[in-house]
Amino acid sequence: MNKSFITNDIKEQLDEYVISRAKELVAERFDHPPMAYVHSFGCQQNAADAEHIKGLLALMGFGFTDMPDNADFVLFNTCAVREGAEDRVLGHVGALKNIKRNRPDMMIALCGCMTQQQTIADKIKHSFPYVDIVFGTGSFHLLPQMIAERIGNKKRVFYSGSAKSVVEGIPAVRDDSVKAWLPIMKGCDNFCSYCIVPYVRGREVSRRPEMIIAEAKELIAKGYKEITLLGQNVNSYGKGLEPKVTFSELVKELDKIEGEFRMRFMTSHPKDCSRELIDAIAESKHFCHHIHLPVQSGNDVVLKAMNRHYNIDSYLELISYARSKMDDVTFSSDIIVGFPGETREQFEDTLKLIKEVEYNALFTFIYSKRNGTPAAKMENVVSEKEKSVWFRELLAVQQDICERQNQQMIGKTLRVLLDSEGKSGEDALAGRTEGNIIVETFGDRSLIGSFVNVKIDKAMNWAVQGTIV
Ligand code: 5AD
Ligand code: SF4
């Protein structure tokens, strides 16, 4: 094949002809059924993208393996949110160099947020000549073209284009049979001053509600019991759609689906989380009374420097409104410690806030400078030592809160979706509450995928334990 499949004019749909051509070329390249290894770093959005990438690889005839060393096609779906991720990924790639020397037919591909950055793509081009295919975040539907191009034209493929819409119709090979990701939008328009995501994932684009509802129905019909709607800021879902639709309206439509299942969503941006949405969750049958509502900092000056567009008073008002509507609602959050210019007093405001809200889970991050973001140019950086002291303090405070909450669960009966085997012995099973608390119990493996009521009799570090009643 000498025709180049890749043009700058990016296709916004799957091309069946190219998929079948790629399948032929893959079959010719390997004298055995080809196996792929796909590994995703970072957030849930990346995990969901990887499931669709696996769907495309399956269409091209690939099976899947957990061992990169034995794979014919290895793909790392990368993350760029924090420094250090880059070195880790390149370490994984470096480990494949000798394997590829012995098996030159092996193909190595890198994609995702890290490779969307031109400097990184250039580094891979020049320093990792055994990497075959590199592409960014908005073009994974073109993987069949890229594979066809690599095998057919024998040229390495570097592609940085990005589809403007969300490409529909890509099948998924899902990692789990109980819980499923359902992306409802891509990109982010918020430009929080520390964050690289808007630069690597582009502007917000929402999927059409009918596509989302159809996918949710299909997942439920297949037996999935928990669906998590995904977007960088689900609260601004619907921007640009005609006719107009809001996230609360989408929630209400999805809630009409019949069946025994749960729904969650992430991530909510406090500036766009409306009372209407809280009402919709409170009145719903299926939506968990749990909101992941990242606050990032407990201090208004830091929030302003972070470009977050809310203050602590309005954030706390939202929390108390939700509590007034749902007495069982729980919250989780993301916190960044050591933002440039942050003082000890400002950090203590964060400690004060987490004690006041009593989140049931915190995702804590040490600030990491991302070149190209406004925060990267800010002065008065917090020293590494100070950041790690604050970070440990924050963890200890949250640990106390979680231990207290876990103790308070003893004697209560909780509804749990069992999703996996437990850690404490052969018949141990594990699952999660609406509030995403891990519960361990005991019973037959066939119960995985069902909702059970568990009476809690023990609190552990990482979970609570109890008996099915
Ligand atoms: N440094 C540290 N944490 C970050 N996050 C995003 N960018 C950075 C950064 N540069 C965190 C935020 C966000 C979560 C997904 O990652 O808390 O909510
Ligand atoms: Fe990053 Fe802010 Fe967008 Fe979240 S909302 S992805 S933190 S820019």
Side-chain angles (χ1 to χ4, degrees), residues 178-180 224-228 261-264 417 436:
V178 179
K179 301 193 283 191
Y224 282 91
K225 299 292 183 207
E226 183 176 299
I227 295 177
T228 304
F261 64 91
R262 260 180 194 169
M263 287 212 162
R264 302 181 184 279
L417 171 60
N436 241 337

Side-chain angles (χ1 to χ4, degrees), residues 81-82 194-195 296 334 336 365-368 370:
V81 166
R82 273 159 292 142
Y194 49 81
C195 186
Q296 312 295 359
D334 295 349
I336 297 177
F365 304 93
I366 293 182
Y367 169 74
S368 167
R370 306 283 57 215

Side-chain angles (χ1 to χ4, degrees), residues 188-192 194-198 232-233 269 296 308:
C188 181
D189 288 351
N190 292 300
F191 292 93
C192 300
Y194 49 81
C195 186
I196 194 86
V197 168
Q232 306 296 342
N233 175 10
H269 194 309
Q296 312 295 359
R308 291 288 290 177

Side-chain angles (χ1 to χ4, degrees), residues 180-193:
W181 308 120
L182 204 178
I184 63 169
M185 59 206 291
K186 66 170 195 171
C188 181
D189 288 351
N190 292 300
F191 292 93
C192 300
S193 62

Side-chain angles (χ1 to χ4, degrees), residues 4 22 41 45 57 98 108 119 123 169 190 212 230 277 307 378 383-384 401 413 440 443 450 467:
S4 175
F41 296 87
Q45 187 71 49
L57 288 167
N98 287 336
I108 302 175
T119 46
K123 179 169 172 181
N190 292 300
I212 297 168
L230 289 182
L277 173 64
N307 196 30
M378 291 181 187
S383 73
E384 292 302 320
I401 296 171
T413 298
E440 202 179 50
S450 15
T467 317

Side-chain angles (χ1 to χ4, degrees), residues 81-82 192-195 294-298 302 306 308 333-340 342 346-347 350 362-368 387 390-391 394:
V81 166
R82 273 159 292 142
C192 300
S193 62
Y194 49 81
C195 186
V295 69
Q296 312 295 359
S297 163
V302 177
M306 286 177 164
R308 291 288 290 177
S333 192
D334 295 349
I335 302 278
I336 297 177
V337 297
F339 186 77
E342 186 175 356
Q346 290 167 335
F347 166 68
T350 301
L362 267 195
F363 301 88
T364 45
F365 304 93
I366 293 182
Y367 169 74
S368 167
K387 282 196 281 193
W390 295 358
F391 186 70
L394 179 68

Side-chain angles (χ1 to χ4, degrees), residues 12 19 23 27 59 64 104 112 153-154 180 240 251 262 272-273 292 296 331 338 375 422 435 464:
E12 308 252 330
I19 294 173
K23 188 173 179 181
L59 289 182
F64 298 97
N153 288 350
K154 302 195 167 55
V251 162
R262 260 180 194 169
D272 298 313
C273 182
H292 182 61
Q296 312 295 359
F331 298 93
V464 291

